[in-house]
Amino acid sequence: MSEKIRKIGVLTSGGDAPGMNAAIRSVVRTCAYHEIECVGIYRGFEGLIEGDFKVLSARSVNNIIHTGGTMLKSARSKTFRTAEGRKAAHTHLKNAGIDALVLIGGDGTFTGGLVFNKEFNFPIIGIPGTIDNDIFGTNYTLGFDTALNTVVQVIDKIRDTASSHKRLFFVEVMGRDVGHLALNAGVGAGAEEILIPEEDLGLDRLLESLRRSKKSGKSSSIVVVAEGDKIGKNVFELKDYVNENLEEYDVRVSVLGHMQRGGSPSCFDRVLASRMGVKAVETLLEGKSNYMVGILNNVMALTPLEKAVKGETDINMELLRVSDIMTT
Ligand code: F6P
């Protein structure tokens, strides 16, 4: 283990995700296990620039494994994009005697960390925390599983009213510009159609599919739409379009929004967070830097941060075929 690392800072940045607190807990407790200090940095890079730090002990993270959000808060920082901002951050880290950083967040967080590392050669490790599951180098990002379960539970509720009123619902889900949330939750919730950025279904095929569903005896339908979908109409415009072209449907819209980011993390996300926190700290203690901790085929893995940031995630084509078959 590297003797150089005596104090590790941890921060959360970007959109919050369920499981971030479990990851913070794991980082803090792994530091305590190795008898090194851990410092919590509040409000992401903004707090780093302002020196908003607090020493965290193993007891500081009691009773948070089951909580959503992030006890360290998060923020998107424009100032950290400036050299002055990053210099101020580095000064605060040195004054506090912090030797390395664990960054919990998404690709934007890692990009900022890489710029900082290049300027100051400051050791960093990334933990992928985002409900979008859009980060190369891991099968799962923290929060994805919890968000999936939230979305499926909500769609189950929407299905109750849709079937009671024989309605078609367009349900918009998050995911920024990828369709992993929409595809997996759509299959899990039994959606009749799933619109994702990675596959252009097209308006004609959508109408044809909805006509076919109606003819096959389906009296209500759920269409899950990824917020980054590229069909060319948002969910409200899709509602109007279907109302104009398919008289037999009474159409409504539900935009799930930020509720998908909240809630108590699932057991899967808690376990994943705990594993990632240990791997992140021990990777730093081995003297390594500029990696992202991930899970690949249920094994903890390290991916160079440059690749994690630049890489893209592919849609699961086998799952896409399953979703097509399920609309029979
Ligand atoms: O990246 C996570 C995410 O929830 C995306 O799915 C969504 O598009 C975005 O953040 C929303 O960002 P904000 O919280 O800044 O509105």
Side-chain angles (χ1 to χ4, degrees), residues 224-284:
V224 174
V225 184
E227 64 178 341
D229 181 57
K230 302 186 176 80
I231 202 166
K233 292 180 182 295
N234 66 37
V235 281
F236 297 100
E237 293 163 338
L238 284 171
K239 167 182 178 280
D240 295 341
Y241 183 78
V242 170
N243 270 331
E244 286 152 21
N245 292 278
L246 289 181
E247 297 73 30
E248 60 265 48
Y249 272 110
D250 182 10
V251 189
R252 293 293 187 273
V253 170
S254 277
V255 176
L256 301 193
H258 285 71
M259 71 157 77
Q260 298 164 90
R261 294 243 289 263
S264 176
S266 63
C267 181
F268 179 87
D269 273 332
R270 298 179 198 191
V271 171
L272 180 61
S274 301
R275 294 173 72 179
M276 285 182 164
V278 171
K279 185 69 177 176
V281 170
E282 293 188 340
T283 298
L284 285 170

Side-chain angles (χ1 to χ4, degrees), residues 140-161:
Y140 298 99
T141 56
L142 283 184
F144 177 59
D145 182 67
T146 304
L148 276 180
N149 287 296
T150 298
V151 171
V152 166
Q153 284 160 24
V154 169
I155 293 177
D156 288 351
K157 295 180 191 314
I158 293 173
R159 184 177 292 282
D160 288 345
T161 181

Side-chain angles (χ1 to χ4, degrees), residues 15 76 130-132 174-176 227 258 261:
R76 291 183 163 90
T130 170
I131 65 169
D132 301 340
M174 283 185 161
R176 203 177 290 277
E227 64 178 341
H258 285 71
R261 294 243 289 263

